[in-house]
Amino acid sequence: MSFFGRNIKKIRSLKLLSQQAFAEVFDLKRATLGAYEEERSEPKIDTIIKIANYFSIPIDDLLTKELTINQLLKFNTNLTTDADQMEVAALTKVPIILPECVADYLNHHSKKNFIADLPVMSLPISNEKIFRAYTVTDLEMANQDVGFYPNDVVVGELVPKSAYKKLNNRTPVIVVTDTDILVRRYFSTDKGYVLRADHKGIDDQVFNAKQIYELWRIRYVFYKRIPETSGEISDQINLLRMEIEKLKK
C-alpha cells in the first residue's frame, strides 16, 4: 500500500493550497490529484519524482511512510513555516506589456533589445524560467464578477511550441499573434488550438502553431480590485510563497 496520496494531501495542507493550485504546479488535472489523495489511483513514476524532488523528500519515504507534519518540516527548509528562518529571495525582473506598448510588442517581440527596454515588475519567482506580464484591457475574460478585469496584471510562463499539445485544456494563457495579444482559455483540438473567452457572446478563435508567435501559461494574477473568486487570491499568494521557498534550495 502506498502512502503517496495521504502525504501529498498533508503537503498541500501545509502549503495552504487548493487541489487546483497544487495540481497546476505539477501539470496535473485537479481530478487526477483528487484521485491520488483519495487513494483511488496511483501516480506515474515521473509524477512521483517531480513532487519528491520539488519538496526534497526521499521517494521511498514519500511512498512507504505516512509522514507527520513535523517530519515534513524537517526534510528541508523549503517546507519551514518559521518566519525567523525565511531568507530574502532574489527578485526576478519580469518585462510587462502595458497597453501603450502592445503595437510595438507585436512588431518587435522577437528582438532582445526591445524586450530589455520594456518596463519591468520585480517578483519573488524563479529566474530559471522566462516570464512575461501583461495588463488586461477588457472584460473578455470576466464572467459574473469572476475573472480578469481591466488593469489586472497577469504573469505568464513561456510555453515552447513543442509543449503546446501537453498543455491542459482550459488553461488560461496569454497568446501573441500577428495582429493581437489575447488572454484566453486554451484548448487543443483536432481543428487546431482554440482560444476561448470566459465572457459570453465572444466567438472562439482557432489558430495553428505557426500563427501563434508566443504562448504564455498564466501562473500569477495581480488584481486591481478584490476579486470574488473562491480561494483564488489565497492560491496565488501561496503559490508565490512556494516559489520563494524553492529559490532557497
Side-chain angles (χ1 to χ4, degrees):
M1 174 182 174
S2 169
F3 289 93
F4 178 82
R6 299 184 194 180
N7 288 331
I8 61 172
K9 186 174 183 178
K10 285 183 180 178
I11 294 171
R12 183 172 63 77
S13 298
L14 185 65
K15 289 298 183 182
L16 304 177
L17 289 173
S18 67
Q19 284 187 335
Q20 182 65 40
F22 190 94
E24 288 180 357
V25 173
F26 301 103
D27 297 318
L28 299 171
K29 294 181 179 179
R30 188 207 61 76
T32 301
L33 179 65
Y36 294 160
E37 290 188 356
E38 295 169 13
E39 301 177 14
R40 292 183 285 105
S41 177
E42 290 294 329
K44 296 180 180 178
I45 186 63
D46 58 336
T47 299
I48 297 171
I49 292 172
K50 277 184 185 179
I51 294 176
N53 287 343
Y54 191 96
F55 294 110
S56 298
I57 298 174
I59 292 176
D60 184 59
D61 289 340
L62 187 63
L63 295 177
T64 63
K65 299 178 182 178
E66 184 170 2
L67 303 171
T68 66
I69 295 298
N70 287 337
Q71 286 175 315
L72 288 171
L73 288 171
K74 290 178 182 178
F75 278 119
N76 192 287
T77 53
N78 184 41
L79 284 172
T80 185
T81 57
D82 186 349
D84 293 336
Q85 297 179 22
M86 293 293 287
E87 298 177 1
V88 177
L91 295 177
T92 297
K93 292 183 177 180
V94 177
I96 180 170
I97 308 168
L98 299 174
E100 58 268 28
C101 300
V102 170
D104 288 337
Y105 192 90
L106 292 173
N107 291 324
H108 307 295
H109 61 87
S110 61
K111 298 178 181 178
K112 291 183 179 180
N113 289 342
F114 172 77
I115 300 301
D117 289 337
L118 284 174
V120 298
M121 57 190 302
S122 296
L123 300 174
I125 57 179
S126 172
N127 59 8
E128 297 178 358
K129 299 178 180 178
I130 302 174
F131 291 94
R132 194 76 78 242
Y134 174 72
T135 305
V136 177
T137 59
D138 53 46
L139 295 170
E140 294 180 352
M141 284 296 289
N143 184 19
Q144 296 181 346
D145 295 328
V146 175
F148 307 147
Y149 279 72
N151 297 317
D152 289 349
V153 176
V154 291
V155 180
E157 176 189 335
L158 182 63
V159 179
K161 286 186 180 290
S162 60
Y164 283 7
K165 291 186 178 180
K166 299 178 182 179
L167 203 59
N168 290 337
N169 285 342
R170 291 190 57 79
T171 297
V173 295
I174 306 165
V175 177
V176 179
T177 70
D178 61 338
T179 60
D180 206 353
I181 299 177
L182 303 168
V183 178
R184 292 287 191 274
R185 291 197 184 275
Y186 165 95
F187 295 83
S188 178
T189 71
D190 294 338
K191 297 179 180 179
Y193 302 114
V194 176
L195 302 181
R196 181 170 300 163
D198 282 356
H199 195 79
K200 295 180 180 179
I202 298 176
D203 293 336
D204 290 352
Q205 293 173 271
V206 183
F207 296 89
N208 59 45
K210 291 183 179 179
Q211 293 172 311
I212 297 177
Y213 292 167
E214 293 178 347
L215 190 149
W216 306 84
R217 177 182 179 179
I218 294 175
R219 289 292 195 178
Y220 313 103
V221 183
F222 298 88
Y223 295 100
K224 184 71 174 178
R225 80 229 178 278
I226 298 177
E228 296 181 18
T229 52
S230 177
E232 192 166 356
I233 292 179
S234 177
D235 283 345
Q236 294 297 335
I237 291 172
N238 290 314
L239 282 171
L240 279 170
R241 285 177 180 164
M242 287 179 65
E243 292 292 342
I244 292 172
E245 292 165 359
K246 195 166 186 290
L247 286 172
K248 301 189 299 178
K249 295 176 67 174

